[in-house]
Amino acid sequence: MSHFKVSYILVTLMTLASFTDSYPTGAFLVITKDASTNSITTLHDRLATEIPKMLGRWSFELKIFKANNQSAPQRDNSDGFLYDLAVDYDPTKSVTLVNKTAIVTTTDVPGSLAQAGCSNGSPDTLGQILQLKLQSLWTLRQVLKGDNGNGYELRGGEFVIRAINVFLHGNFKNFIVLIEHHSNSKSNKTRELSIQKIESLVEELELPKGRLCTDTLSDGADYLSNVIAQLVQAFQT
Amino acid sequence: MVQQLSLFGQITRSQHDITAVALGTLTGSAPSPFTTYTLLASPKRVVKYEPNSKNAQFEQYKLHLKSPYDDTKKDRSEYSEWVLQVSDVPSAGKRKISTQAIVESCILVQKDQSIDTVLDSIGYLVEKEYLVKGVRVFYGNIVIEMFQVLVKTAEGEWKELDDRAYLIKCFINVEKATDVENLQKSSQELMSLKNELTGFVELDIPDRNVMDSRIGIRK
């Protein structure tokens, strides 16, 4: 009897450990219509009954650049916009999305490059360089800010929910919820499975009604690249 | 962004070995070899300067991309980590030390990308590539580099641009342009190195215009 119990605990621990090591197979956003600044408190109360692990506050900044007419890269498939995202729970990384290409930059220069003397130190994000030195090509038009968001970890780390109010030039714009499904397998099928699981979670928890944005860039794209793709999808329509 | 304070000098090839020993003795550390692979990228479309334009006109800059050279890799598409640098024209005025602001970021090239596609998407194109190969020693806060520039020949071999000489670059990076105290201290440090090496290597400030990475508008 006791032997059985011990093995059970071991299994649970292992699953927990594998969830924390795993990479999210999906990060999806829900945009809610008719949202107000209070929606976040309503959601907080709703999720509190699930006894989540609180991940603390978070914020993000999405800069939207437009190609300069005179010097725009002339391509048929380009929409002429460039987006730059920085989230504070991954402070060293930033991602820039332009024409379905996500450029990942880091302010944490890899040791091999630093040791080889390639870096001068105190690196910035690509967004800052665009603003400082590439103004002739890209002009900053809008800055969308998310402030004082909440992060929750549900079901032993299987789901991570991040809710946040979005402001444009200080005015409330929308309320978005980022839902991540974490699993240990990286195969292609799990993406479809993740969307299913997230859809059922949304129904089960009776989250506010909204649209699910599930754009991804490619199978190999990293986490932030997918987040920015979905954010852009969410705000475009 | 850093402020880079620097002095440059030149020695002939025959002086190279003795200078390496001398620098090793001066600094008390063995010179460590380095080879940096550098790409120079320019905007795909250069904006012409219009004297009476109503639109705001901005300078265009060349980008430098640096990565440690790895001879097992065939070409630049196999490198996945790059430091992107954009440098201002050095500060004007009567100076004893060249002062230049440099901004940088580190690009992590994703699986389905290459550095060319990344640059292409922000409107840039790789124009030239070269290697910087030499040795490096540290003297107090100063980094001393003695190097040659290698370019690719038509046969695909790396060859010295000028095999008769070596360049010497001594520099200190100061993090903040407002940190006057550190800027002064670093200038003094470089000046005392210059004095120490007098008669051996002549260190001087380079021509401002040579260090200018802006293109288009005013030219």
Side-chain angles (χ1 to χ4, degrees):
Chain A
M1 187 68 180
S2 63
H3 181 73
F4 179 75
K5 258 185 189 166
V6 168
S7 65
Y8 175 72
I9 290 165
L10 268 179
V11 169
T12 349
L13 276 177
M14 273 171 65
T15 1
L16 272 176
S18 59
F19 273 136
T20 45
D21 289 341
S22 71
Y23 215 66
T25 48
F28 308 104
L29 283 154
V30 188
I31 271 249
T32 60
K33 285 177 185 133
D34 313 314
S36 74
T37 38
N38 290 328
S39 308
I40 196 163
T41 359
T42 321
L43 181 79
H44 182 82
D45 293 344
R46 177 68 203 83
L47 286 176
T49 57
E50 292 285 316
I51 318 178
K53 183 180 159 196
M54 301 301 287
L55 298 176
R57 295 275 172 187
W58 73 288
S59 62
F60 78 86
E61 198 174 75
L62 182 75
K63 290 179 186 158
I64 303 169
F65 295 80
K66 177 111 176 62
N68 257 358
N69 294 334
Q70 310 162 311
S71 52
Q74 293 283 300
R75 251 175 290 113
D76 301 322
N77 54 349
S78 165
D79 60 355
F81 282 101
L82 183 147
Y83 309 89
D84 184 72
L85 175 75
V87 294
D88 72 344
Y89 57 85
D90 200 350
T92 59
K93 264 191 187 169
S94 94
V95 60
T96 307
L97 182 75
V98 48
N99 199 22
K100 298 272 170 209
T101 308
I103 307 166
V104 181
T105 54
T106 175
T107 53
D108 189 12
V109 179
S112 57
L113 268 71
Q115 263 173 23
C118 295
S119 166
N120 282 320
S122 79
D124 297 303
T125 64
L126 188 60
Q128 285 162 321
I129 292 184
L130 288 167
Q131 253 177 286
L132 278 172
K133 298 286 172 209
L134 267 65
Q135 284 163 310
S136 66
L137 296 175
W138 304 99
T139 329
L140 181 64
R141 286 298 171 90
Q142 288 185 336
V143 182
L144 281 170
K145 274 188 180 170
D147 270 327
N148 276 331
N150 290 321
Y152 314 88
E153 198 179 285
L154 293 178
R155 321 240 154 122
E158 192 183 356
F159 294 100
V160 171
I161 296 184
R162 297 179 204 272
I164 200 159
N165 284 326
V166 184
F167 297 88
L168 176 67
H169 304 307
N171 297 317
F172 177 71
K173 172 112 171 133
N174 221 326
F175 171 58
I176 59 169
V177 184
L178 176 71
I179 309 169
E180 296 164 17
H181 177 246
H182 291 246
S183 83
N184 353 342
S185 82
K186 271 189 177 176
S187 66
N188 217 355
K189 277 178 192 164
T190 50
R191 199 182 111 71
E192 311 306 319
L193 197 74
S194 287
I195 298 176
Q196 273 178 25
K197 288 216 168 176
I198 283 170
E199 276 169 348
S200 62
L201 182 84
V202 169
E203 267 180 38
E204 204 182 314
L205 295 180
E206 292 164 11
L207 295 182
K209 288 275 176 298
R211 197 160 43 86
L212 212 57
C213 303
T214 57
D215 263 14
T216 49
L217 289 173
S218 66
D219 295 336
D222 83 335
Y223 166 74
L224 267 186
S225 308
N226 286 337
V227 172
I228 191 172
Q230 286 151 12
L231 257 179
V232 169
Q233 188 196 2
F235 287 115
Q236 260 172 355
T237 40
Chain B
M1 183 187 287
V2 294
Q3 294 291 319
Q4 186 166 80
L5 308 179
S6 57
L7 284 173
F8 284 75
Q10 199 189 32
I11 51 161
T12 59
R13 191 179 50 190
S14 56
Q15 278 178 295
H16 172 265
D17 291 351
I18 184 97
T19 312
V21 174
L23 287 177
T25 319
L26 174 74
T27 60
S29 64
S32 58
F34 71 94
T35 311
T36 310
Y37 188 20
T38 313
L39 307 179
L40 190 64
S42 299
K44 281 188 281 189
R45 297 183 75 209
V46 176
V47 184
K48 284 218 178 87
Y49 175 62
E50 291 166 39
N52 298 316
S53 169
K54 282 172 191 156
N55 302 328
Q57 296 186 70
F58 300 104
E59 304 278 2
Q60 286 184 303
Y61 291 85
K62 290 190 182 187
L63 309 180
H64 278 97
L65 290 122
K66 294 181 177 176
S67 194
Y69 180 66
D70 181 351
D71 55 9
T72 58
K73 288 174 180 163
K74 274 204 299 282
D75 57 16
R76 59 177 180 257
S77 60
E78 289 183 40
Y79 291 77
S80 62
E81 291 162 342
W82 292 94
V83 172
L84 170 90
Q85 288 178 348
V86 193
S87 41
D88 270 344
V89 60
S91 309
K94 210 175 173 191
R95 285 167 187 277
K96 287 177 175 162
I97 307 279
S98 172
T99 309
Q100 188 173 30
I102 302 175
V103 282
E104 70 170 41
S105 186
C106 181
I107 297 180
L108 305 172
V109 179
Q110 303 298 297
K111 269 177 220 151
D112 49 351
Q113 303 173 333
S114 75
I115 190 66
D116 289 86
T117 59
V118 168
L119 288 171
D120 179 72
S121 60
I122 56 168
Y124 272 79
L125 192 71
V126 175
E127 185 185 85
K128 285 189 181 76
E129 51 181 10
Y130 58 88
L131 294 186
V132 173
K133 189 179 182 187
V135 290
R136 184 183 286 131
V137 286
F138 303 96
Y139 185 56
N141 293 314
I142 308 174
V143 183
I144 306 173
E145 290 179 348
M146 180 164 57
F147 58 87
Q148 282 183 320
V149 174
L150 285 76
V151 288
K152 221 169 204 172
T153 58
E155 292 85 49
E157 298 284 312
W158 291 104
K159 201 177 177 306
E160 294 88 355
L161 198 59
D162 179 2
D163 67 349
R164 294 161 302 172
Y166 280 81
L167 267 174
I168 292 183
K169 178 186 179 185
C170 309
F171 66 95
I172 301 180
N173 293 325
V174 178
E175 212 162 303
K176 287 196 181 84
T178 48
D179 191 352
V180 183
E181 200 180 317
N182 243 330
L183 286 169
Q184 264 171 4
K185 206 182 119 208
S186 304
S187 302
Q188 278 164 11
E189 223 173 307
L190 281 164
M191 283 312 287
S192 68
L193 177 74
K194 181 187 162 135
N195 290 337
E196 220 155 337
L197 295 178
T198 308
F200 193 60
V201 182
E202 292 310 318
L203 291 174
D204 226 328
I205 61 166
D207 184 356
R208 240 181 113 228
N209 293 321
V210 181
M211 309 277 279
D212 191 359
S213 66
R214 294 173 303 177
I215 45 165
I217 287 195
R218 316 244 176 248
K219 287 174 188 167

